[in-house]
Amino acid sequence: MFEQMEFSTLQHYWFIIIALLGALLVFLLFVQGGQTLIKQLGKTDQETTMLVNTFGRKWEFTFTTLVTFGGAFFASFPLFYSTSFGGAYWVWFIILVAFVVQAVSYEYRSKSQNLLGKKGFDALLFFNGLIAPVFLGTAVATFFTGSPFHVSGMNMSYWDNSLHGLELALDVTRVETFINLSLGLAVFFLSRVLGVLYVFNTIDHDEIIKRARKSLLINSIPFLVFFLFFLISILLIDGFAINPQTQEIFMEPYKYLHNLLEMPLVTALFLLGVVLVLWGIIRAYFNTDKCATKAIWFSGLGTVLVVLNLFFIAGFNNTAFYPSFTDLQSSLTIYNASSSKYTLVAMSYVSLMVPFVLAYIWYAWKSINNKRIDQEEMDNESHVY
Amino acid sequence: MENIDLQLIDWSRAQFALTAIYHWLFVPLTLGITFLIAIMETIYVKTGNPEWKKITKFWMTVFGINFAIGVATGLILEFEFGTNWSNYSWFVGDIFGAPLAVEGIMAFFMESTFIAVMFFGWNKVSKKFHLISTWLVAIGSNLSALWILVANGWMQNPVGMRFNPDTARNEMINFWDVLFSPTAINKFLHTIYSSYILAAAFVIGISAYYLIKKRESVFARKSILVASIFGLVFSIMTVATGDESAREIAKTQPMKFAAMEGLYFGTANAPLVAAGMLKDCNDPEKPHIKDFAWNIEIPGVLSYMAFLDRNAFVPGIYDLVHGNEQQGIVSYFDKIERGKIARQTLEDYKLAKENGNVELAASLRAKFEDQDFIDNYFNYFGFSYFDDPHDIIPNVPLSFYTFHIMVAVGFFLIALFVVALFFAIKNTLHRYKWFLIIALISMPLAYIGSQSGWMIAEFGRQPWVIQNLMPTHTAVSNIQSGMVITTFWIFALVFTVLLIAEIKIMVNQVKKGPKIEEE
């Protein structure tokens, strides 16, 4: 069935899968956001343990989604893999270090003889929670603002800045730097908002819930400010457009705004996502316990929709999804960066398993989360982080 | 590629080796112990005996300590293909990426989803669902191994693809050829079976410690019983797949085969070197050749191992470099020339395309579809990056020793399992302290054997990152060596701190013993 599809349909299909994985990843960063809130929401040792355990039971999902996001990108758009990872070396290195310490910190923090002590591992969890969303968000912003690289005739990639990626967050002479950082910070505060909502969903403890409600407001405001700044900025800047006849890349004023206007379905889903994120926050803040519990699902689904459609704005409608601002024609598009048709077809068959995977994740998730965590459970559980 | 930065290559290799070695300290135990845990839990569910639940939960805790650091280092490995080997990532992404993506979708999610149920589901889900989850963790982790080993097998023996001169990369033309390549299948089976051996040796070693300390005797005996049967069965399978692998290597990577055995001059009825020590040859005429200071040979066995025929000719390193007309072996000198023709053809094609010379471009393009050109020229593409054939020889002593250490450890462990099983059945383990001490020492030995296996697989194929097509030095990212040196040391520090923490926690957990785990 996939064999009959046009090459470009398959390229779109795989970009949708990548976008979906990216969107799920951002939603699952609630684990990271939560890790940065443990000290604020938990005052006693018992409260901290409860919080660590509620997030600790989900770290594998974020981690696995990141791994799969990387693997799927490698498989479907290998030129992106070789250009961005080999080029923005420091950015990816820092993200990797942030993730190396996460899994171990959960597993080791409360074990005796653990070398770094509980405080040490909790600090590493905070480090992971801060670095991962900020850097991933900043990196995704460059899908709109571009990076300095060029690709040779033999498809070898070269980065054109000796800071190898750090310049995208540090070069204050470029206005794009602030756009990049604003998305990084927006994702960071969003992950904290989602973390708080997840606490409402899974923890049964009055004091923690009371503090969480306060924290929700404190984190929602900066999230909205940074997100709106990012959104308005990219709608106003020139975008990297592809001439469909010649495949030439050129700068088009208001390209991303045009993309929204020219893809009404994307716009509708994007706006629905924004509304859902806000609705989840409002619901949780103003309502009683019962409404707050479900808020994560509204904001979570909203997050997935927003990020998914941001990817579409960056890569569909004849737009270069990983643009180069030092050599325009080296910009990566879903057409020039993709794997061969054969490979995309083969992997498309594998992708048919995704709904099945999502189904068993949902089932397992529900069976573990069917009861909210309370002190009693922490006392009786044999595997406590 | 124009200016080769040797320092960059060496440090990039060092960083990858560092990550891979650390990763492999944790993965084999995960692969094997998950099945052992699943078997133990099955016995618990069948018999309802709480002693088996205690056993299951203890090994689960040990698994948890080990697992976290395994996945962390695994993430680094995956991304290092991009960060440090970006030219490689493009050249093979069309093939290599696919198994990696399948691995993520099919295996990693299975593993991570059901691990949560396995650890936290004891009081939340039914006994049956819990048991299924434990089995799915074992299957999921082993499926992860399948896909990455398919990718590695392809690098050792690239099949199922065709080079596309327009994109300057290899493109997959047959997924099944890649998946069911004999190299990949053998590699997968040999790797997981040997990992089961390691896990069995691990369980036996720790159980032996309890018996030496005269505690947990029921727990220890039951654990040893399960582990020694498991270990013995898979030892035999490991020997069988290893034997198959050797034949595969003799066929597809004759240089690696020769290096494994320190065989410089090919011969019919070639002897197997059971043990030996290499030294530099003092003959100034032969600067590239090493000699045995001493060795023990078994006549004819190498020929039989390689070709199932005692009289078959096994080519040596010298034959491969200089060719051997009688045996129909093309010399490396010749292969370099052919590779250069293939590369020149590619460059001519690019130039013709750029200059708009349509006719010339079309005729050059056609060559890459021509089977004769592929077999006799393009298949040596990677050789074009060398001038001196002696640069295409792996480190012989390293290959020789790691191979022999791996084999020696393997056979030693078979003996260990037999004796352990015998004593466990007779329930006399506690009487033989000398054996328990040997069992304890066998734990690190199993790790050394396992690491040696990967070393021969990876060092033995140097200087290739993809056999005959891409030399390691052309695969690196276009970055500065200073960057890699910095990240190498940071990773080394982080991994080492985590390893020390891991060992301390593990030792402490073992000292505490299984009783603490029981509610």
Side-chain angles (χ1 to χ4, degrees):
Chain A
M1 103 201 185
F2 289 107
E3 287 88 343
Q4 277 81 44
M5 284 187 181
E6 294 269 331
F7 192 17
S8 101
T9 311
L10 287 162
Q11 287 162 330
H12 279 82
Y13 177 67
W14 270 92
F15 196 74
I16 292 170
I17 292 185
I18 297 291
L20 183 64
L21 284 166
L24 289 171
L25 177 62
V26 175
F27 163 57
L28 289 165
L29 285 175
F30 77 78
V31 174
Q32 269 67 23
Q35 284 167 198
T36 64
L37 290 168
I38 284 165
K39 284 279 167 277
Q40 272 122 301
L41 303 186
K43 294 297 172 198
T44 67
D45 204 34
Q46 285 174 331
E47 290 169 358
T48 316
T49 306
M50 228 184 274
L51 285 158
V52 169
N53 276 273
T54 199
F55 292 114
R57 291 176 186 187
K58 296 293 176 249
W59 73 260
E60 284 112 330
F61 288 109
T62 319
F63 196 90
T64 308
T65 308
L66 174 67
V67 172
T68 308
F69 177 73
F73 232 141
F74 190 4
S76 50
F77 300 99
L79 195 55
F80 167 80
Y81 203 79
S82 59
T83 303
S84 177
F85 288 22
Y89 188 82
W90 290 117
V91 175
W92 291 107
F93 169 73
I94 291 167
I95 291 174
L96 289 180
V97 171
F99 272 97
V100 169
V101 296
Q102 186 202 21
V104 179
S105 298
Y106 277 118
E107 194 63 47
Y108 294 177
R109 69 182 288 278
S110 64
K111 298 252 187 329
S112 42
Q113 302 287 317
N114 64 8
L115 191 68
L116 303 180
K118 199 178 248 185
K119 282 215 170 91
F121 284 110
D122 285 354
L124 290 178
L125 284 179
F126 183 87
F127 169 74
N128 167 264
L130 172 71
I131 296 294
V134 172
F135 275 73
L136 285 171
T138 308
V140 170
T142 64
F143 280 39
F144 297 91
T145 57
S147 302
F149 66 85
H150 67 275
V151 178
S152 79
M154 296 283 185
N155 276 320
M156 304 265 165
S157 310
Y158 301 84
W159 203 258
D160 296 328
N161 190 301
S162 59
L163 288 176
H164 280 274
L166 293 180
E167 73 282 0
L168 298 168
L170 297 177
D171 182 0
V172 290
T173 60
R174 295 182 69 239
V175 63
E176 286 84 354
T177 305
F178 297 98
I179 303 179
N180 295 343
L181 285 173
S182 68
L183 188 62
L185 291 167
V187 172
F188 172 65
F189 286 106
L190 175 65
S191 73
R192 290 173 71 128
V193 167
L194 293 171
V196 169
L197 296 181
Y198 189 70
V199 166
F200 288 138
N201 184 255
T202 54
I203 291 190
D204 188 3
H205 189 287
D206 293 343
E207 284 301 306
I208 292 179
I209 298 294
K210 220 162 84 190
R211 286 180 214 124
R213 183 154 289 142
K214 217 164 105 194
S215 174
L216 182 61
L217 188 68
I218 297 171
N219 289 296
S220 297
I221 292 166
F223 158 63
L224 285 174
V225 171
F226 287 118
F227 180 70
L228 283 176
F229 176 80
F230 171 77
L231 186 63
I232 293 167
S233 304
I234 60 160
L235 294 182
L236 296 179
I237 57 173
D238 296 356
F240 297 81
I242 310 167
N243 179 332
Q245 268 79 47
T246 60
Q247 292 293 310
E248 228 170 298
I249 317 286
F250 63 97
M251 297 308 291
E252 181 184 320
Y254 305 108
K255 172 64 180 163
Y256 302 112
L257 180 62
H258 292 164
N259 281 357
L260 270 183
L261 298 174
E262 285 159 22
M263 297 188 287
L265 184 63
V266 168
T267 313
L269 290 174
F270 179 78
L271 291 176
L272 176 65
V274 174
V275 170
L276 282 172
V277 171
L278 294 177
W279 177 237
I281 295 172
I282 292 167
R283 211 179 131 99
Y285 188 72
F286 290 106
N287 276 303
T288 53
D289 197 36
K290 209 171 163 212
C291 286
T293 317
K294 298 249 185 295
I296 178 78
W297 301 120
F298 291 98
S299 294
L301 179 64
T303 302
V304 171
L305 286 176
V306 168
V307 179
L308 188 66
N309 288 290
L310 272 180
F311 270 96
F312 295 160
I313 298 167
F316 284 173
N317 196 32
N318 291 310
T319 317
F321 77 86
Y322 197 66
S324 165
F325 60 76
T326 48
D327 180 31
L328 210 50
Q329 299 315 319
S330 285
S331 298
L332 307 189
T333 69
I334 60 170
Y335 309 109
N336 67 18
S338 92
S339 278
S340 67
K341 186 178 173 191
Y342 182 91
T343 295
L344 292 185
V345 168
M347 290 196 310
S348 297
Y349 281 105
V350 177
S351 74
L352 293 177
M353 293 188 62
V354 170
F356 171 71
V357 173
L358 290 174
Y360 73 63
I361 289 176
W362 179 247
Y363 183 73
W365 183 302
K366 280 196 66 155
S367 56
I368 292 298
N369 284 34
N370 59 2
K371 190 178 144 292
R372 288 205 276 165
I373 287 187
D374 53 23
Q375 191 52 48
E376 196 190 338
E377 182 177 341
M378 288 295 97
D379 296 337
N380 297 331
E381 174 62 55
S382 56
H383 197 91
V384 177
Y385 289 135
Chain B
M1 269 186 213
E2 299 75 28
N3 310 307
I4 298 168
D5 180 352
L6 278 175
Q7 213 185 7
L8 172 67
I9 296 151
D10 288 345
W11 282 98
S12 300
R13 286 186 63 196
Q15 179 165 309
F16 200 84
L18 173 87
T19 319
I21 288 171
Y22 268 96
H23 186 54
W24 199 247
L25 282 177
F26 309 101
V27 174
L29 183 62
T30 295
L31 293 178
I33 208 166
T34 44
F35 272 121
L36 277 167
I37 292 168
I39 292 169
M40 289 164 175
E41 192 179 335
T42 308
I43 301 176
Y44 160 63
V45 172
K46 288 254 179 227
T47 62
N49 181 350
E51 181 74 23
W52 281 105
K53 187 178 184 187
K54 184 173 94 174
I55 296 175
T56 307
K57 280 190 132 182
F58 174 75
W59 293 115
M60 232 174 236
T61 307
V62 168
F63 162 71
I65 297 167
N66 178 73
F67 174 76
I69 190 162
V71 290
T73 44
L75 174 83
I76 312 287
L77 269 188
E78 180 198 344
F79 281 74
E80 275 180 2
F81 288 120
T83 53
N84 294 85
W85 305 97
S86 89
N87 289 340
Y88 163 86
S89 291
W90 172 252
F91 194 63
V92 306
D94 198 60
I95 299 136
F96 192 87
L100 220 59
V102 180
E103 179 170 348
I105 294 169
M106 279 179 62
F108 286 157
F109 275 111
M110 188 189 279
E111 192 179 10
S112 59
T113 305
F114 292 102
I115 260 185
V117 180
M118 185 173 106
F119 279 132
F120 305 109
W122 283 107
N123 306 320
K124 294 195 171 75
V125 300
S126 70
K127 255 189 192 178
K128 207 169 148 197
F129 181 46
H130 192 274
L131 180 63
I132 292 172
S133 300
T134 308
W135 276 101
L136 287 175
V137 171
I139 293 167
S141 55
N142 281 269
L143 267 183
S144 320
L146 169 68
W147 294 102
I148 192 67
L149 290 168
V150 163
N152 184 279
W154 185 84
M155 292 163 76
Q156 313 270 354
N157 178 23
V159 289
M161 87 301 183
R162 176 149 295 178
F163 183 76
N164 179 346
D166 291 311
T167 50
R169 68 174 173 191
N170 291 288
E171 295 182 354
M172 184 149 60
I173 55 170
N174 193 326
F175 180 75
W176 305 113
D177 280 358
V178 175
L179 178 56
F180 294 119
S181 139
T183 309
I185 295 298
N186 267 315
K187 185 168 266 301
F188 168 62
L189 294 176
H190 191 61
T191 308
I192 59 166
Y193 294 160
S194 64
S195 299
Y196 301 166
I197 303 181
L198 179 138
F202 184 90
V203 169
I204 291 175
I206 288 181
S207 304
Y209 163 81
Y210 289 134
L211 292 176
I212 292 170
K213 291 272 165 195
K214 296 195 179 14
R215 47 183 281 216
E216 327 289 351
S217 55
V218 178
F219 164 90
R221 182 179 159 242
K222 282 191 153 88
S223 294
I224 290 181
L225 192 65
V226 173
S228 59
I229 295 173
F230 190 74
L232 192 57
V233 169
F234 287 106
S235 291
I236 294 161
M237 311 279 268
T238 306
V239 173
T241 49
D243 185 52
E244 195 73 34
S245 283
R247 260 194 300 290
E248 203 48 55
I249 292 169
K251 201 163 69 189
T252 58
Q253 297 175 299
M255 179 58 90
K256 184 200 261 185
F257 194 78
M260 271 157 59
E261 278 294 303
L263 182 71
Y264 278 90
F265 299 98
T267 165
N269 197 11
L272 178 82
V273 180
M277 202 172 124
L278 286 159
K279 67 170 170 59
D280 278 328
C281 188
N282 294 328
D283 189 346
E285 298 273 297
K286 301 170 183 167
H288 300 288
I289 289 176
K290 296 209 179 338
D291 219 348
F292 282 104
W294 60 267
N295 65 353
I296 306 165
E297 292 185 344
I298 313 171
V301 172
L302 191 64
S303 288
Y304 188 79
M305 219 170 93
F307 302 104
L308 294 176
D309 172 7
R310 293 180 70 97
N311 295 316
F313 179 86
V314 181
I317 294 167
Y318 189 89
D319 304 275
L320 294 165
V321 171
H322 295 276
N324 185 327
E325 242 172 86
Q326 219 179 342
Q327 301 293 337
I329 297 169
V330 181
S331 76
Y332 275 9
F333 290 96
D334 205 9
K335 287 181 180 176
I336 289 175
E337 289 315 311
R338 293 181 188 206
K340 287 193 169 158
I341 292 170
R343 200 163 118 204
Q344 192 57 49
T345 312
L346 176 64
E347 274 159 23
D348 290 346
Y349 169 64
K350 288 272 169 199
L351 196 67
K353 228 170 73 166
E354 247 169 62
N355 296 341
N357 193 338
V358 184
E359 229 169 276
L360 181 64
S363 78
L364 290 168
R365 176 80 178 74
K367 284 193 173 185
F368 289 90
E369 304 284 335
D370 172 28
Q371 201 55 45
D372 187 59
F373 179 80
I374 293 172
D375 291 342
N376 293 313
Y377 295 93
F378 182 74
N379 277 353
Y380 306 116
F381 186 83
F383 284 85
S384 67
Y385 294 99
F386 296 96
D387 289 317
D388 181 358
H390 295 101
D391 293 340
I392 321 179
I393 302 172
N395 183 325
V396 176
L398 193 62
S399 308
F400 176 84
Y401 291 125
T402 50
F403 173 64
H404 284 80
I405 289 170
M406 171 188 81
V407 173
V409 170
F411 281 103
F412 167 78
L413 289 176
I414 294 179
L416 180 88
F417 295 138
V418 170
V419 179
L421 181 60
F422 179 76
F423 288 156
I425 290 172
K426 297 196 78 177
N427 199 6
T428 52
L429 278 161
H430 52 280
R431 281 192 223 155
Y432 301 97
K433 199 173 173 193
W434 60 267
F435 175 72
L436 297 173
I437 291 170
I438 290 178
L440 192 59
I441 299 169
S442 302
M443 255 168 42
L445 264 185
Y447 281 91
I448 291 169
S450 190
Q451 293 278 357
S452 300
W454 267 114
M455 285 182 189
I456 174 60
E458 300 304 300
F459 286 128
R461 72 172 147 113
Q462 292 302 323
W464 301 112
V465 63
I466 303 155
Q467 189 70 38
N468 295 0
L469 292 183
M470 188 176 220
T472 311
H473 69 259
T474 63
V476 287
S477 298
N478 303 301
I479 50 181
Q480 289 79 45
S481 53
M483 296 163 65
V484 186
I485 295 173
T486 312
T487 55
F488 172 90
W489 287 113
I490 296 174
F491 277 137
L493 179 75
V494 173
F495 293 164
T496 307
V497 167
L498 295 183
L499 177 70
I500 293 170
E502 201 256 4
I503 292 173
K504 284 184 69 165
I505 292 169
M506 191 74 94
V507 167
N508 187 56
Q509 196 71 37
V510 169
K511 276 189 188 154
K512 272 206 298 200
K515 284 229 170 82
I516 310 297
E517 283 305 302
E518 191 61 6
E519 61 266 45

